[in-house]
Amino acid sequence: MASSSALADVVNPYAEGLMGVAQANNLTAQISEDIGLLLSLIKDSEGLYRFLANPLVDDSVKKDLLRKSLSENLNRYTFNFLLLLIDRKRMSLIKDICEKYQDIYRKLNRIALAEVSSAVPLTEEQEEAVRQKVIQITNAQSVELETQVESELIGGVVIKVGSQVLDASLRGQLRRIGLSLSR
């Protein structure tokens, strides 16, 4: 298994190169949307990811699949970037490259990514309250939420922004009470 710095040495230039193309063509937001779509596909279809990352599958077969399924849905620069990754035998890194591109995009546009875990799905009003709290904490222009339901939280939310964690869950409150009682 490659170390994280070795992985970054390969991933970063590809993500930065794609960002350079996006900036040169004033397409950073559109390519970010394309990258979001790709990440969603990868997340939802482990089989697709394994197929594209498999070095035993012929490159022309991978390209044909992408042409048939994605060429109409992606900007031509994003699509050509995928073809480049196939040619360079880097499709196994597609998820990491896409995530790095999104990180760069967020930094350039002062967008905070907040990972929110809650005991039940959040309403739109609750999501907006979380966004406002994260903007207050980070001074970001806007906030992207990645939400997930974790029933073991019992109630409340846990918000993670970078290395900061705001635990407003019932589980967290009970843990803090337990720690204070054990002192």
Side-chain angles (χ1 to χ4, degrees):
M1 181 122 201
S3 73
S4 63
S5 70
L7 182 65
D9 288 345
V10 176
V11 167
N12 291 351
Y14 282 101
E16 291 165 359
L18 181 59
M19 179 55 77
V21 168
Q23 287 176 316
N25 293 284
N26 199 25
L27 295 169
T28 56
Q30 185 177 357
I31 290 178
S32 177
E33 287 177 26
D34 288 352
I35 295 300
L37 172 67
L38 290 171
L39 284 168
S40 202
L41 287 172
I42 291 167
K43 180 182 174 190
D44 294 343
S45 178
E46 181 67 28
L48 173 65
Y49 171 74
R50 283 196 309 268
F51 175 80
L52 292 171
N54 188 337
L56 301 176
V57 175
D58 189 72
D59 290 350
S60 64
V61 174
K62 293 176 186 180
K63 289 178 180 182
D64 284 343
L65 173 71
L66 291 179
R67 276 189 192 94
K68 290 176 184 171
S69 59
L70 292 175
S71 66
E72 298 296 318
N73 299 321
L74 299 177
N75 176 284
R76 68 183 172 105
Y77 293 109
T78 309
F79 186 76
N80 288 336
F81 182 74
L82 291 176
L83 299 180
L84 173 75
L85 292 179
I86 291 172
D87 289 339
R88 299 271 174 92
K89 310 289 187 218
R90 298 294 191 208
M91 282 306 280
S92 62
L93 300 174
I94 184 68
K95 181 176 184 268
D96 297 308
I97 293 168
C98 287
E99 287 173 348
K100 183 61 179 178
Y101 178 91
Q102 294 295 60
D103 287 345
I104 296 168
Y105 178 78
R106 287 184 193 107
K107 284 180 185 148
L108 286 174
N109 293 286
R110 293 184 48 218
I111 300 169
L113 174 63
E115 299 170 19
V116 181
S117 301
S118 59
V120 296
L122 298 176
T123 64
E124 287 183 28
E125 294 83 20
Q126 290 168 325
E127 285 184 2
E128 185 56 32
V130 169
R131 278 189 186 89
Q132 293 307 314
K133 182 67 173 175
V134 172
I135 286 172
Q136 181 184 8
I137 293 169
T138 64
N139 288 326
Q141 270 185 264
S142 64
V143 176
E144 281 181 29
L145 294 183
E146 284 185 4
T147 60
Q148 64 182 25
V149 174
E150 290 184 26
S151 57
E152 62 272 4
L153 291 178
I154 307 169
V157 297
V158 176
I159 304 168
K160 181 179 178 200
V161 181
S163 61
Q164 291 182 316
V165 177
L166 175 62
D167 187 348
S169 68
L170 188 52
R171 180 184 67 186
Q173 291 173 13
L174 291 172
R175 185 177 60 245
R176 287 188 290 279
I177 290 169
L179 288 173
S180 68
L181 291 175
S182 65
R183 290 184 196 166

